[in-house]
Amino acid sequence: MAKITYIEHSGKKHEVEVANGLTVMEGARDNNIPGIEADCGGACACSTCHVYVDAAWAEKIPAKDAMEEDMLDFAWEPNELSRLTCQVKVTDERDGLVVQLPEKQI
Ligand code: FES
């Protein structure tokens, strides 16, 4: 279980507990957090689950694989902190993770 903080583009924060084994995308979906659309359901095929990971966490989560890297090219204004939340698993080690939502998805 990990507490994940999702910050909307407006600055509105949502702090929720997410079970281990779910993805950060599923944590948003299950808690009705607006701004993560996840159109493909987590198949790394849509880029609408894009977030910017807090800089303090960027090195603490596993690196992107080639597929995520490619899909991020289709995301809205990606940068070096961009991740697809369907590719980031929740674990105890990620307790306190903070992600910022983009202005929009695609
Ligand atoms: Fe489609 Fe993550 S949900 S790429």
Side-chain angles (χ1 to χ4, degrees):
M1 188 73 88
K3 186 178 81 179
I4 311 283
T5 301
Y6 302 83
I7 306 174
E8 292 183 50
H9 188 70
S10 66
K12 185 174 180 187
K13 285 187 184 178
H14 304 264
E15 288 185 2
V16 297
E17 298 281 343
V18 182
N20 290 351
L22 294 179
T23 64
V24 175
M25 177 277 278
E26 290 168 326
R29 180 200 63 196
D30 294 353
N31 288 283
N32 299 313
I33 292 166
I36 292 183
E37 296 167 10
D39 289 340
C40 76
C44 198
C46 73
S47 86
T48 63
C49 64
H50 171 219
V51 299
Y52 306 108
V53 173
D54 185 89
W57 281 90
E59 303 295 320
K60 295 184 194 166
I61 55 179
K64 292 166 254 200
D65 64 15
M67 197 169 157
E68 181 180 355
E69 197 81 69
D70 287 350
M71 280 313 301
L72 276 168
D73 288 343
F74 299 98
W76 177 257
E77 296 188 345
N79 67 24
E80 67 282 355
L81 296 173
S82 291
R83 294 301 302 259
L84 295 178
T85 50
C86 69
Q87 301 303 301
V88 180
K89 287 267 189 207
V90 174
T91 66
D92 287 340
E93 292 70 36
R94 299 191 187 135
D95 184 41
L97 176 65
V98 178
V99 299
Q100 176 90 46
L101 278 62
E103 184 179 359
K104 62 182 180 178
Q105 298 287 355
I106 308 186

